[in-house]
Amino acid sequence: MEYSNILTEKKDSVFVITINRPEALNALNEDTVGKLEHAFDQGLADPGVRVIMITGQGNKAFVAGADINEINSLSSVKAAQDKSIRGIDILFKIEQCDKPVIMVINGYALGGGCELAMAGDIRIASDNAKFGLPEINLGIIPGYGGTQRLPRLVGIGMAKMMIFYGMTIDAQTALQIGLVEKVVPAGQLMEEAFSLANLLAQKPPVALAMAKRSINEGLEVDLKRGCAVESSNFAVACSTEDRREGTRAFLEKRKPQFKGY
Ligand code: CO8
């Protein structure tokens, strides 16, 4: 399904979702959030989709945050909390799904945009991208999980610096502190993102899903329980035909042909 503010495209086994409100620097209003979830569900449900990419339209912004007009007109404490919980739930869906999600950050990733980016598995950014959680300057705090995911990614001190001061940092700094995994020239962003996605699409999907679950779930518990989570997921990966194929291919000194089960 196509919407004006969310575009989707399937290229082989990669599903690309583009947030398309360039006139508002792709800010997430309620309508866009709902359609983003719908598009994401579409990618998840399609068995031919191995990797999901999320990006922003144009060359200026990934997402410049939640829509400030809507935050300005929030009418009650409950409305604010509901709005925050709705966004948080969608970002959990993105973070916890079994398919790898690559965030392709083509410009400003501020506030809710930075929070969206942090819910992905891998972040690749153009060299003109800028990151920050500037909510403090609006008299609020991050509300889509930013106070939780930023310190997990970059450490407590840097997260407090960025959130307390509402700092904006450039792509190279984001790379240095671990907020993104790769920075490329703006003109090469999509090409590089597809090359990352296509490599992932060739990996055995059950093993990928088990690796993703193990890392995500393991980070929420102590080391011993995390290793138990890994062990169960290891067993699931071992039950696949792809395990037989991967190990056989190694022994036969050839490239594996993974089937996806
Ligand atoms: N919301 C609504 N409109 C926006 C937003 C936004 N977040 N960001 C930009 N726009 C609009 C501008 O109002 C402007 O519209 P118009 O042309 O009609 O005046 C248009 O986009 C272009 O923006 P600028 O003219 O400001 O472009 P500049 O190049 O001068 O500046 C910036 C670019 C620096 C990115 C600037 O637009 C900016 O600072 N934007 C706001 C960034 C921000 O504060 N983001 C955080 C928002 S709050 C948030 O995300 C909370 C998340 C959790 C919410 C939980 C529940 C709601």
Side-chain angles (χ1 to χ4, degrees):
M1 199 176 289
E2 275 308 284
Y3 310 106
S4 61
N5 48 359
I6 293 286
L7 309 175
T8 60
E9 185 185 7
K10 192 171 156 187
K11 282 197 176 166
D12 301 321
S13 51
V14 181
F15 190 71
V16 185
I17 300 174
T18 304
I19 298 160
N20 183 39
R21 288 188 77 210
E23 69 286 356
L25 303 188
N26 303 322
L28 296 174
N29 60 8
E30 206 164 306
D31 185 48
T32 307
V33 168
K35 285 169 182 156
L36 172 64
E37 181 178 30
H38 196 275
F40 194 79
D41 285 341
Q42 203 185 320
L44 276 187
D46 183 340
V49 168
R50 291 279 181 91
V51 181
I52 299 175
M53 280 179 14
I54 300 181
T55 191
Q57 185 67 276
N59 53 16
K60 190 168 172 184
F62 171 68
V63 169
D67 193 303
I68 295 172
N69 298 293
E70 290 184 356
I71 297 176
N72 174 254
S73 59
L74 280 171
S75 56
S76 67
V77 170
K78 181 171 184 318
Q81 191 162 8
D82 287 350
K83 212 170 167 55
S84 165
I85 288 171
R86 169 112 177 90
I88 281 175
D89 284 348
I90 297 173
L91 296 202
F92 267 130
K93 180 184 282 192
I94 293 172
E95 186 175 57
Q96 292 176 354
C97 77
D98 275 345
K99 296 187 183 183
V101 181
I102 301 180
M103 295 293 176
V104 184
I105 302 149
N106 53 309
Y108 287 111
L110 299 176
C114 188
E115 294 174 294
L116 173 65
M118 289 190 287
D121 297 306
I122 292 170
R123 284 157 289 278
I124 177 169
S126 57
D127 53 6
N128 66 326
K130 293 205 162 37
F131 298 81
L133 292 175
E135 285 91 341
I136 199 90
N137 300 323
L138 300 168
I140 56 173
I141 67 167
Y144 287 166
T147 61
Q148 304 307 301
R149 290 196 179 90
L150 188 63
R152 282 168 168 77
L153 277 171
V154 306
I156 296 171
M158 184 54 79
K160 285 183 177 166
M161 283 284 283
M162 287 179 65
I163 292 171
F164 289 4
Y165 290 96
M167 279 162 60
T168 298
I169 60 170
D170 62 21
Q172 279 306 331
T173 308
L175 182 66
Q176 278 160 21
I177 66 174
L179 183 51
V180 299
E181 282 66 57
K182 195 164 184 181
V183 175
V184 298
Q188 292 167 23
L189 181 65
M190 287 317 283
E191 189 188 330
E192 292 281 343
F194 271 109
S195 106
L196 282 178
N198 289 331
L199 274 177
L200 276 185
Q202 289 165 32
K203 302 289 181 197
V206 177
L208 261 186
M210 291 307 111
K212 177 169 171 170
R213 282 193 203 178
S214 302
I215 293 169
N216 285 349
E217 288 173 36
L219 281 172
E220 302 307 317
V221 297
D222 62 61
L223 182 61
K224 202 163 186 184
R225 277 192 232 178
C227 288
V229 168
E230 180 186 89
S231 205
S232 313
N233 291 334
F234 174 80
V236 173
C238 281
S239 72
T240 61
E241 183 55 37
D242 281 345
R243 185 262 304 187
R244 275 176 276 278
E245 167 60 10
T247 50
R248 202 184 300 128
F250 175 81
L251 297 171
E252 292 171 2
K253 302 191 188 305
R254 61 174 172 82
K255 207 170 172 268
Q257 299 294 322
F258 292 121
K259 296 185 171 69
Y261 53 88

